[in-house]
Amino acid sequence: MIIVHHTDRTGRPLRHYLFPIAVAGAGVIGMFGLVATFIALLDFAIHTAVAIGAAAGPIGVGGLSLRLARGKP
């Protein structure tokens, strides 16, 4: 006579939760990368605008003039 005891698991196994957590983690890392890239692009654009503004001097439209950068004292 062979007696086999079976106990059914009451909950879901841990591997069923692994895939959604991995996908969410990859999404979060991707969003961090996207935000970091956007901030780097804005920083580059601001530095470029400052360099152009410093080189251009005052800009006039009609009777109004706008000085983009301070002059040298």
Side-chain angles (χ1 to χ4, degrees):
M1 175 191 281
I2 298 174
I3 299 174
V4 178
H5 293 282
H6 286 261
T7 56
D8 293 332
R9 294 183 177 157
T10 57
R12 294 179 71 181
L14 188 59
R15 67 177 177 263
H16 288 284
Y17 297 105
L18 182 62
F19 183 71
I21 290 173
V23 170
V28 167
I29 291 171
M31 289 303 292
F32 279 147
L34 187 65
V35 169
T37 303
F38 181 68
I39 290 172
L41 182 64
L42 284 178
D43 183 51
F44 179 73
I46 289 170
H47 281 106
T48 303
V50 167
I52 291 172
I59 295 176
V61 177
L64 301 172
S65 65
L66 175 65
R67 206 162 109 179
L68 297 176
R70 294 183 190 167
K72 295 181 182 176

